[in-house]
Amino acid sequence: MVNLTIDGQKVSVPQGTTIMQAAATVGIDIPRLCYLKDINEISACKVCVVEIQGQNRVVTACTTPVQEDLVVYTNSPKARSVRRTNVELILSQHDCLCATCVRSGNCSLQKLANDLGIYDIPYERDVVDMPWNQDFPLIRDSKKCIKCMRCVQICDKVQKLHIWDVQNTGSRTTVDVAGNVTIEDSDCSLCGQCITHCPVGALKERNDVPKIYEALADTSKVTVVQVAPAVRTAWAEAFNLTPEQATEGRLVAALKRVGFDYVFDTCYAADVTIMEEGTELLEHLANPQDHSWPMFTSCCPGWVSYVNKKYPYFVPNLSTTKSPQQIFGALTKSFFAQQKGLKPKEICSISIMPCVSKKREAALFSMRSSGTHDVDIVLTTRELIRLLRAEHINPAYLDEQPFDNPLGQSTGAGVIFGATGGVMEAALRTAYKVVEGNEAPMDAFVDVRGEGDEAGRKVRTFKLGGTVLRTCTVSGLGNAGKLLEDLKAGRVQYDFVEVMACPGGCVGGGGQPIHDGEERAAELGSKLYALDSERPLRQSHLNPDVQALYKEFLEKPLGEKSEALLHSDHVKEHNYQ
């Protein structure tokens, strides 16, 4: 242990601890912009400077290890002066139009400047504006980039896609797409982790809220909105609702207040997904010689994109079942349209997702089974919050309303799709019933939940009839890449593999609310499992609305109509209209 003094407080910490970490143990929060624990510890911003007694120069707290008997001042006149100057220099190269910034009120630089009392910038302004395709689902605003390197590091170290890199040198240093290519031609999967780890508004999703207002104003359109399971874990925090207030019913009521005609639950489509994908898995197990192994889930568009771009060798291993978003869109413009006597083009199909990659998925040419785009507009959870605020809606004062029918009823199996391991567990609950003829105990497959081992994998073995099923769940594209390399080399063998592009699953998605420096996927995932435990029905095959769908419309899983509407071979992954 090393003993030192920080701001007059005695501190004892293990050798190798940084000054920043040591200060945190006694409740002293040293300001910083670039720091991300274990990911970005490079002191790029120079904001975390502190003074050490007896030394002439200030040092960066995030990279300086503690030493015995050090006396540290985190906010001395010298440290505060240098910190202020460094922030002023950052602001001199930053577009400070906070009132029109998507991160206003949730920006680390804005808060830091306010805390330091910076109201004027004494240096010449030099803001660089680089061109960007404003139609791409991910938007980079070079005018707001503070060169903190977080996006580079999260993409390199966690997702291992290496999309971003440093360009130029000196005062002209900035970040841009690596390899001298455009973002459209890069391997970007649109996981959005660079967005959620950016401390300012330099990265954001394309704003599709104006399209919502156009649709609501079009009297010839019937607006149908679906809400993904992970959205319900985080949407209400922006309105300071208690857990008791933050219900699905209030979310439905808020969307109704906006003016949408029908509000449905994507969990219903998740139940349909299990009927199709679970049947697909059982068909693979029955005819192993006809298929590539293992079978991969295909619910995550970031993962599907990743396989297409980085490992096309494994595309045949992907389940052909579409994601719940696209299944819902296809059913909305076929089954629902038929029930309501509407033509597909008379419906505006809207989805609210925790994901940026869903925006691109909806635009794929292969996702037009109804003859038009099955999903017309995709909003992230953050865009939903901005929409409700724009409409001056306070959900706390709304009475709860149920999801509409016939696409609104869902089971607990559909709810847990938003957490890593959820798709796997939901599929196993139904596969067990089909094979064994009776329902599995509700705790039979809980071992697939969670983050997994050092490689990010949860590997388990289950018995289905006379078959031993080897399963693997993994989240994060960096972990997925290592898994694919091991599979290709023959180092591991599995039968069924679930992959989520975002660490922790959809609850940690790139479209979720941003809490700088916090990783909240595990906390939000536990909310979904709590909702699952409260559901009266917890297996997809028991959903009466899904049973009615097959009886009245689809006939059977993997049937002719199901194949036409609910499946894709993923070969057209890059084709847009």
Side-chain angles (χ1 to χ4, degrees):
M1 301 297 287
V2 177
N3 302 294
L4 68 158
T5 304
I6 304 178
D7 291 346
Q9 298 191 55
K10 299 293 184 182
V11 183
S12 183
V13 292
Q15 187 174 359
T17 304
T18 64
I19 291 175
M20 178 179 287
Q21 293 167 340
T25 65
V26 290
I28 298 173
D29 187 26
I30 299 175
R32 68 267 194 170
L33 283 172
C34 68
Y35 176 81
L36 284 175
K37 181 173 171 53
D38 299 328
I39 297 172
N40 199 40
E41 300 177 348
I42 59 174
S43 67
C45 67
K46 302 294 188 291
V47 168
C48 67
V49 291
V50 297
E51 182 181 0
I52 296 177
Q53 184 173 290
Q55 296 188 14
N56 291 326
R57 294 175 130 185
V58 294
V59 299
T60 51
C62 70
T63 57
T64 304
V66 296
Q67 296 179 33
E68 188 70 24
D69 295 329
L70 275 187
V71 178
V72 179
Y73 303 100
T74 69
N75 203 33
S76 66
K78 179 189 287 188
R80 191 165 55 246
S81 174
V82 175
R83 181 177 297 137
R84 181 186 180 94
T85 297
N86 289 342
V87 173
E88 287 173 339
L89 287 168
I90 292 171
L91 290 170
S92 72
Q93 295 187 335
H94 181 76
D95 172 7
C96 297
L97 299 175
C98 296
T100 55
C101 179
V102 72
R103 291 290 296 275
S104 184
N106 184 26
C107 170
S108 297
L109 178 60
Q110 184 185 50
K111 180 181 184 302
L112 184 56
N114 288 338
D115 291 347
L116 289 170
I118 298 175
Y119 306 116
D120 295 298
I121 303 172
Y123 304 103
E124 181 181 350
R125 302 296 301 279
D126 185 14
V127 180
V128 177
D129 189 5
M130 300 170 66
W132 193 268
N133 179 4
Q134 298 299 307
D135 291 326
F136 194 71
L138 184 152
I139 304 294
R140 180 177 184 272
D141 187 347
S142 62
K143 302 188 300 299
K144 295 187 182 298
C145 179
I146 61 171
K147 296 90 173 173
C148 69
M149 303 292 290
R150 283 191 183 186
C151 58
V152 177
Q153 300 278 37
I154 200 75
C155 196
D156 284 2
K157 292 183 177 179
V158 177
Q159 300 298 69
K160 300 192 183 301
L161 278 169
H162 311 288
I163 302 302
W164 306 106
D165 202 357
V166 176
Q167 307 287 334
N168 305 323
T169 58
S171 64
R172 290 289 178 178
T173 300
T174 189
V175 174
D176 202 355
V177 182
N180 198 31
V181 299
T182 63
I183 189 68
E184 301 93 326
D185 294 329
S186 73
D187 289 333
C188 180
S189 69
L190 285 169
C191 67
Q193 292 302 302
C194 58
I195 298 177
T196 57
H197 289 82
C198 177
V200 294
L203 291 163
K204 60 186 177 183
E205 70 273 37
R206 183 187 66 221
N207 179 23
D208 288 327
V209 173
K211 296 178 183 177
I212 296 295
Y213 286 114
E214 291 177 13
L216 291 171
D218 188 346
T219 56
S220 68
K221 294 285 188 181
V222 174
T223 52
V224 177
V225 62
Q226 56 167 305
V227 183
V231 172
R232 68 203 68 197
T233 66
W235 74 279
E237 63 190 33
F239 303 96
N240 297 316
L241 299 189
T242 65
E244 293 73 26
Q245 292 174 314
T247 61
E248 297 172 344
R250 279 199 175 81
L251 175 54
V252 173
L255 292 168
K256 289 282 191 177
R257 181 67 64 88
V258 171
F260 295 115
D261 294 312
Y262 295 93
V263 180
F264 293 126
D265 194 346
T266 309
C267 296
Y268 167 89
D271 282 335
V272 178
T273 300
I274 290 303
M275 299 302 294
E276 296 294 325
E277 192 168 78
T279 303
E280 192 178 352
L281 172 63
L282 294 175
E283 194 277 329
H284 281 223
L285 292 172
N287 302 283
Q289 70 283 353
D290 297 335
H291 302 286
S292 301
W293 293 93
M295 188 179 105
F296 295 126
T297 59
S298 54
C299 299
C300 171
W303 154 243
V304 172
S305 173
Y306 178 79
V307 174
N308 271 273
K309 293 179 178 181
K310 302 288 286 186
Y311 292 91
Y313 171 84
F314 282 109
V315 168
N317 296 63
L318 288 166
S319 161
T320 63
T321 305
K322 292 179 181 178
S323 72
Q325 169 181 274
Q326 296 306 136
I327 283 181
F328 200 102
L331 292 175
T332 295
K333 293 195 175 184
S334 57
F335 174 63
F336 176 76
Q338 177 181 297
Q339 290 215 331
K340 297 297 180 181
L342 297 169
K343 297 177 181 177
K345 65 181 181 180
E346 294 175 327
I347 295 175
C348 180
S349 173
I350 301 154
S351 70
I352 301 173
M353 296 283 143
C355 177
V356 179
S357 193
K358 291 289 186 184
K359 290 178 179 280
R360 187 206 45 185
E361 180 188 40
L364 293 173
F365 188 81
S366 57
M367 300 301 173
R368 301 174 72 248
S369 56
S370 60
T372 181
H373 290 297
D374 295 328
V375 176
D376 299 295
I377 306 171
V378 179
L379 298 185
T380 62
T381 309
R382 293 191 296 270
E383 286 175 288
L384 166 66
I385 292 168
R386 295 201 293 272
L387 175 64
L388 298 183
R389 282 177 166 167
E391 291 295 295
H392 308 292
I393 294 173
N394 186 342
Y397 291 91
L398 300 179
D399 293 327
E400 297 183 45
Q401 294 187 44
F403 284 107
D404 289 312
N405 278 316
L407 310 180
Q409 184 164 323
S410 61
T411 70
V415 171
I416 61 176
F417 261 57
T420 183
V423 179
M424 175 71 71
E425 183 173 352
L428 291 174
R429 289 178 186 179
T430 290
Y432 186 94
K433 166 64 177 177
V434 174
V435 173
E436 300 288 351
N438 55 284
E439 302 293 351
M442 289 315 303
D443 61 351
F445 307 112
V446 295
D447 279 354
V448 302
R449 300 177 182 179
E451 292 291 336
D453 58 18
E454 291 182 0
R457 302 175 198 171
K458 262 290 183 73
V459 178
R460 295 293 183 268
T461 301
F462 301 98
K463 286 187 177 180
L464 285 179
T467 302
V468 175
L469 186 70
R470 298 161 297 181
T471 70
C472 176
T473 58
V474 63
S475 67
L477 291 177
N479 292 330
K482 289 184 288 186
L483 171 63
L484 294 180
E485 291 291 345
D486 285 348
L487 285 167
K488 196 169 184 178
R491 290 188 287 268
V492 294
Q493 289 184 320
Y494 306 115
D495 301 305
F496 190 30
V497 176
E498 179 210 291
V499 182
M500 295 289 185
C502 295
C506 305
V507 285
Q512 291 283 72
I514 298 172
H515 297 265
D516 195 7
E518 297 181 25
E519 303 295 341
R520 304 177 66 234
E523 173 193 345
L524 298 182
S526 65
K527 293 184 179 181
L528 292 182
Y529 287 115
L531 289 173
D532 166 43
S533 66
E534 296 167 1
R535 282 286 207 274
L537 299 176
R538 299 180 63 191
Q539 298 97 330
S540 296
H541 56 274
L542 297 181
N543 186 333
D545 285 354
V546 170
Q547 293 172 354
L549 171 72
Y550 281 98
K551 182 178 181 181
E552 300 170 14
F553 186 68
L554 293 177
E555 297 180 2
K556 64 177 182 178
L558 300 188
E560 184 176 343
K561 192 170 287 188
S562 293
E563 290 282 358
L565 289 172
L566 311 182
H567 291 260
S568 169
D569 60 9
H570 305 295
V571 172
K572 300 176 181 177
E573 165 67 19
H574 301 293
N575 293 341
Y576 298 84
Q577 183 189 11

